[in-house]
Amino acid sequence: MATLTLKRKLEILSDAAKYDASCASSGSVKRDSVGGKGMGSTDGGMGICHAYAPDGRCISLLKILLTNFCVYDCAYCVNRVTSNTPRARFSVDEVVKLTLGFYQRNYIEGLFLSSGIIKNADYTMEAMVRVARALRQDHDFRGYIHLKVIPEASPALVNEAGLYADRISINIELPKDESLATLAPEKDAAGIRKAMGAVRVSEDASKDKGRKTRAPRFAPAGQSTQMIVGADSATDGAILKRSESLYGAYRLRRVYYSAFSPIPDATSRLPLSRPPMMREHRLYQADWLMRFYGFGRAEIVGEADDLDLAIDPKLAWALRNRGDFPVDVNTAPRETLLRVPGLGVKVVDRIIGTRRHTRLTLADIGRLSRRVNTLKPFLICADWSPGALTDRADLRARLEPRQLDLF
């Protein structure tokens, strides 16, 4: 087998990592090298793989696999053992060297590291932990580290990973257990959930205020997961129901949705084409409603149903529940305003802050939100009432986005 250059390895293993969407860096603790101590930080920057913090900061990560060799034969994965794809493998020292080199050139602020399974789960997880340990202990690296945990790895290795990483993630892979058993027979859905539960226990232990001694910091940015959308027959309702249970049971920071991408030499059990990208987008919008807007999954979509691709889920809900509208922007509580189509969290908070001093008009709302035409049927302002507009039979058609006809 020909020896690969470091550059060629980087080409192969960064390309192989692109299928993992769960690399956002929100929630990390702030560290820096002010005073000449350590190397790196978790603030500011621009670079290779862009992730975004809650305050909108762009954080750049070196996103790679330790190797794309894998002993598993997951039907939906381009790196499965039976796949005819170029293979490469980094050594631990090579990953450390790349991370430090890219940081020193101001390309990145951190590392997202995943891997195929080499030999077995513990052998692979131990190598990934060695990378993080070397960066933290040998080089005092203070940038962001996200490690993809292998569920079958020993609890001791998973726990050590959390001591060096800002975030760890364990992919649930598919929304239905039976789909995972069919398409990824080496993986065990119950084992994945058990590993997630162990991570939550370690997180809780590190935050226990009743301890007499302070526990070591454990993955301060929490844990996340990813589900592939469109590889099986799961509806959007079933996907969101699984997300709802994951958020509740394991207190995940984020569930990521990745549209299935057809791969070469795929099994006939997989679809021939990828789902519409809008489906992935609608799932993220619905997920946002559950996490930040107080919606329950059942309010958004039934378990057997799919989301409407033509309009966003909040507008779809409002059109189904017109009896809840219009609401008075000057008196409605925050949780009610958050359900109005076109009003986001920041706009609602600005409305509540402003109405303490003055009664808001439609023009005031227009200055706060660019979606005033969407808002009109659902709001009462000091100088505006929608009248019969809320109940018009053609309201959906009036609000549905229109594709520009260029020809």
Side-chain angles (χ1 to χ4, degrees):
M1 180 173 154
T3 301
L4 300 178
T5 64
L6 187 60
K7 180 180 178 182
R8 179 57 181 154
K9 289 181 182 180
L10 184 59
E11 289 173 353
I12 293 172
L13 295 174
S14 60
D15 183 69
K18 69 185 180 184
Y19 298 100
D20 202 316
S22 56
C23 64
S25 53
S26 58
S28 61
V29 295
K30 289 190 175 183
R31 291 185 297 268
D32 58 45
S33 51
V34 172
K37 296 180 179 180
M39 175 182 290
S41 73
T42 54
D43 296 323
M46 54 192 295
I48 296 175
C49 167
H50 295 144
Y52 294 90
D55 60 3
R57 289 180 298 115
C58 178
I59 297 177
S60 52
L61 306 175
L62 174 61
K63 183 179 179 182
I64 54 175
L65 300 186
L66 184 66
T67 181
N68 65 341
F69 287 100
C70 191
V71 298
Y72 289 176
D73 198 22
C74 304
Y76 49 80
C77 181
V78 71
N79 298 316
R80 67 193 186 280
V81 67
T82 56
S83 176
N84 183 24
T85 190
R87 306 286 183 170
R89 176 178 173 179
F90 284 128
S91 68
V92 169
D93 289 341
E94 284 174 332
V95 177
V96 172
K97 178 182 177 181
L98 281 170
T99 303
L100 297 177
F102 276 113
Y103 170 75
Q104 289 165 341
R105 290 167 177 80
N106 199 32
Y107 291 159
I108 64 166
E109 294 174 88
L111 170 69
F112 175 92
L113 183 63
S114 184
S115 183
I117 310 300
I118 326 163
K119 295 186 179 180
N120 57 58
D122 278 358
Y123 180 88
T124 309
M125 195 71 238
E126 193 272 337
M128 295 172 68
V129 169
R130 283 169 54 206
V131 170
R133 186 195 305 128
L135 285 168
R136 294 291 194 220
Q137 293 186 348
D138 299 343
H139 300 279
D140 200 10
F141 181 68
R142 303 187 182 191
Y144 178 85
I145 298 178
H146 182 152
L147 292 182
K148 180 67 66 175
V149 167
I150 300 166
E152 297 83 7
S154 70
L157 282 171
V158 174
N159 189 69
E160 189 175 4
L163 299 179
Y164 300 122
D166 292 270
R167 172 170 288 183
I168 58 180
S169 54
I170 303 171
N171 282 357
I172 200 74
E173 304 287 0
L174 294 168
K176 298 197 296 186
D177 289 356
E178 54 268 32
S179 298
L180 191 68
T182 300
L183 298 175
E186 293 95 347
K187 295 186 176 180
D188 175 42
I192 293 172
R193 292 193 290 271
K194 182 179 179 180
M196 286 181 167
V199 170
R200 175 175 175 174
V201 169
S202 295
E203 284 184 288
D204 291 344
S206 71
K207 299 173 184 176
D208 185 3
K209 296 181 180 179
R211 291 175 59 105
K212 293 183 179 180
T213 58
R214 186 173 182 179
R217 179 185 66 89
F218 186 90
Q223 66 169 319
S224 60
T225 193
Q226 175 174 310
M227 277 191 281
I228 300 170
V229 176
D232 63 1
S233 60
T235 63
D236 293 340
I239 292 170
L240 290 169
K241 183 177 180 181
R242 172 55 63 91
S243 297
E244 188 177 44
S245 69
L246 292 172
Y247 282 129
Y250 308 111
R251 212 162 43 240
L252 298 188
R253 289 293 182 90
R254 188 81 180 268
V255 175
Y256 291 85
Y257 307 95
S258 179
F260 168 72
S261 181
I263 56 178
D265 306 317
T267 173
S268 59
R269 291 169 292 173
L270 291 171
L272 297 176
S273 59
R274 65 180 300 151
M277 286 302 296
M278 183 56 71
R279 184 183 181 192
E280 181 183 302
H281 180 59
R282 295 298 184 217
L283 283 167
Y284 275 116
Q285 289 179 318
D287 184 279
W288 207 259
L289 292 181
M290 293 193 300
R291 291 193 295 138
F292 299 111
Y293 288 77
F295 282 80
R297 189 275 312 163
E299 294 180 277
I300 301 169
V301 63
E303 185 177 351
D305 301 323
D306 289 321
L307 295 167
D308 193 326
L309 298 184
I311 57 176
D312 72 77
K314 193 202 276 194
L315 177 57
W317 175 85
L319 291 172
R320 293 195 304 269
N321 295 273
R322 299 192 200 191
D324 294 343
F325 299 98
V327 300
D328 193 328
V329 72
N330 287 296
T331 60
R334 184 177 187 273
E335 57 269 22
T336 300
L337 289 174
L338 284 173
R339 291 179 171 244
V340 176
L343 292 184
V345 172
K346 290 183 179 179
V347 173
V348 167
D349 289 341
R350 291 178 67 186
I351 286 173
I352 292 173
T354 304
R355 74 186 188 185
R356 296 189 184 118
H357 311 287
T358 184
R359 286 184 58 78
L360 294 165
T361 65
L362 188 62
D364 293 328
I365 299 301
R367 283 188 284 271
L368 295 174
S369 172
R370 297 179 180 179
R371 301 186 62 186
V372 68
N373 289 331
T374 301
L375 291 165
K376 282 183 176 181
F378 304 106
L379 284 185
I380 295 173
C381 302
D383 62 345
W384 167 261
S385 177
L389 179 60
T390 307
D391 297 317
R392 285 186 61 138
D394 64 344
L395 182 59
R396 175 186 169 118
R398 293 167 63 96
L399 297 177
E400 190 172 312
R402 291 175 173 81
Q403 189 76 28
L404 290 176
D405 187 357
L406 300 180
F407 302 100

